[in-house]
Amino acid sequence: MTDDESARVTRILNGLPAAARQLLVGTDWESLQHAYGSGEDIPVSLCSLVDEDPEVRSEALAALDMGVLHQGSLYTVTAPAALFVAAILDHPMGLAEHEGHFPWDDGPPRSLRAALLVWLGQVAESAAYGEDPVRARTDWQWTPWHDEMRREHDPAEFAALRACRDIRPTLYDAVEPFLSSPDPHVREAALGAAVPLLLAPGLADRVPGAATRLRARLGPGDGRRERAGVARALSLWGTDTSDLLADSDPAVRVCAALGPTPVDRPRALAVLLEALRDPRTTDGWFPEPLSGLDGWFRFTVLCSALALADTFEEVAQAVLAIVAAGGASVTDHERGPILLRAFAGGYDPTRPLTPAQRDLLRAFADSDEATGGIGGNVLWFRAAGLPENREGIAALL
């Protein structure tokens, strides 16, 4: 730490909340690791988050993204850094406008507080990864071979994961008050952090209170984005969203159907399938993805519909058009999951194909030259236990 950095840390320390100050001085940062080595430089970055200079704050936020949570990876430094961030959420500097550090960070203007909440949500998402295999399969980025290729955690990785899971109650306590913030960007960022936090097994008792708080703000005057985000949260947490399945806004109806166990399953599935019949409109609902979601919104809708269906026949008619029309750039996120759902448990050569399975494979074969229907989905065909070329599929038909 340079003399200038030491002076800055000393100056900022005096203005920190007691919990943040104790974390900073009571943690052995040198014994911890981030993406680029020792965590000894992290105290400077953490203090810089509330520096008066906006460029310094921007660089500190970049350090969180690049080193403390590099591409979603957790390190031994991540948990104490997250606790520090949680402790400064109500710092007066949180009202300052956040300046992007990276060239691609060109989203709408938001406060430092909103940026910190977004980062805590990313920590929570990483901590929850792999915790619930059933829920993981509803993520549009899930692939069957990813689980097979996952290696055992080394001791440091396991310690980092365990530490980040253990602090989730503390993180949620810090995030919860901002679910009712007057700033819509802060509310959305807080909700984006609360969703993965309250999916933790040990926080189920907090869901009713959070649901009550969110429903109090779910008025007809709220915009589509906020109402849809609340509906998605309530659905993912397993609360009863049957009333929202009849909402006047189709985006809210769909978000209310995204959870794994809706009370009204047939109606929820019908809502999802209706959205898939006009994917361009569905994608246009959220030009900027909702917190916690990336990629085209139809990917999430499709995976939720496939998971919700009791049988492939329930969704076959709606998804056949997707297989025939899907572009090669989205093979893994549309046609692949459809194929695996049709052959849940793998293709069994001792059993005849069902009519729905036969129609699906014919759609793959018929569209192969135009869309790479088979060649572009080799790994998915392999995962389903099917032939990996057009000739092999034609032989089954």
Side-chain angles (χ1 to χ4, degrees):
M1 187 182 302
T2 66
D3 290 343
D4 287 345
E5 290 174 337
S6 179
R8 183 198 309 161
V9 169
T10 300
R11 172 173 51 83
I12 292 176
L13 267 175
N14 295 328
L16 290 176
R21 189 164 56 249
Q22 183 177 354
L23 273 165
L24 206 65
V25 301
T27 300
D28 182 7
W29 298 100
E30 293 185 10
S31 69
L32 305 176
Q33 295 287 314
H34 54 65
Y36 302 105
S38 169
E40 61 184 335
D41 58 336
I42 293 301
V44 174
S45 295
L46 295 178
C47 281
S48 298
L49 288 170
V50 292
D51 194 278
E52 294 179 355
D53 187 333
E55 290 187 6
V56 172
R57 293 197 304 271
S58 179
E59 291 175 0
L61 283 167
L64 289 182
D65 287 334
M66 292 189 300
V68 181
L69 190 68
H70 180 67
Q71 296 182 350
S73 296
L74 302 174
Y75 304 90
T76 50
V77 80
T78 309
L83 287 173
F84 179 91
V85 169
I88 63 169
L89 284 177
D90 58 356
H91 191 282
M93 193 58 70
L95 297 174
E97 186 172 303
H98 160 51
E99 293 189 7
H101 179 79
F102 303 107
W104 57 84
D105 189 7
D106 57 355
R110 58 180 178 174
S111 66
L112 172 68
R113 180 169 296 143
L116 295 177
L117 284 164
V118 167
W119 185 79
L120 288 177
Q122 293 168 346
V123 172
E125 291 278 3
S126 294
Y129 182 78
E131 193 170 32
D132 184 344
V134 174
R135 187 173 70 240
R137 290 178 71 114
T138 65
D139 187 328
W140 65 270
Q141 299 183 84
W142 177 87
T143 58
W145 53 88
H146 191 240
D147 285 345
E148 296 173 2
M149 295 170 60
R150 189 186 303 164
R151 294 175 294 180
E152 293 292 329
H153 294 291
D154 67 27
E157 290 174 336
F158 184 80
L161 177 63
R162 184 73 270 161
C164 287
R165 289 179 175 177
D166 287 345
I167 65 172
R168 287 182 292 193
T170 302
L171 297 186
Y172 179 72
D173 286 343
V175 166
E176 184 185 40
F178 298 102
L179 292 173
S180 302
S181 170
D183 183 334
H185 294 301
V186 170
R187 287 200 305 273
E188 179 173 345
L191 182 59
V195 168
L197 287 170
L198 290 191
L199 289 175
L203 290 177
D205 62 321
R206 312 284 187 94
V207 168
T212 298
R213 181 187 287 262
L214 292 179
R215 280 192 173 274
R217 299 193 62 90
L218 198 61
D222 294 323
R224 160 179 281 178
R225 185 176 183 86
E226 180 157 13
R227 298 183 72 248
V230 169
R232 173 176 174 263
L234 296 174
S235 182
L236 293 179
W237 292 336
T239 65
D240 183 0
T241 56
S242 54
D243 61 319
L244 297 176
L245 293 175
D247 194 88
S248 60
D249 189 327
V252 175
R253 294 198 299 269
V254 167
C255 285
L258 293 178
T261 55
V263 172
D264 192 344
R265 190 195 71 85
R267 189 156 58 121
L269 182 58
V271 165
L272 296 174
L273 294 180
E274 180 64 28
L276 292 174
R277 291 188 179 95
D278 187 4
R280 289 184 180 273
T281 297
T282 299
D283 284 338
W285 289 339
F286 308 111
E288 181 187 353
L290 292 176
S291 295
L293 294 178
D294 293 310
W296 294 110
F297 187 53
R298 68 180 186 271
F299 296 161
T300 293
V301 176
L302 173 63
C303 286
S304 295
L306 296 175
L308 193 56
D310 283 341
T311 66
F312 179 67
E313 282 68 20
E314 284 190 297
V315 298
Q317 183 177 358
V319 301
L320 278 176
I322 295 175
V323 172
S329 63
V330 294
T331 53
D332 281 349
H333 310 315
E334 291 186 305
R335 297 198 300 268
I338 290 170
L339 182 73
L340 203 66
R341 180 63 185 85
F343 293 90
Y347 166 64
D348 183 353
T350 66
R351 302 178 63 181
L353 295 175
T354 67
Q357 290 173 331
R358 190 176 298 276
D359 289 345
L360 178 66
L361 292 181
R362 186 173 292 111
F364 269 102
D366 290 347
S367 64
D368 191 38
E369 291 186 5
T371 67
I374 296 174
N377 290 267
V378 168
L379 293 177
W380 288 97
F381 274 83
R382 185 179 303 163
L386 288 160
E388 301 169 17
N389 54 64
R390 194 172 189 277
E391 293 72 23
I393 294 300
L396 297 181
L397 300 175

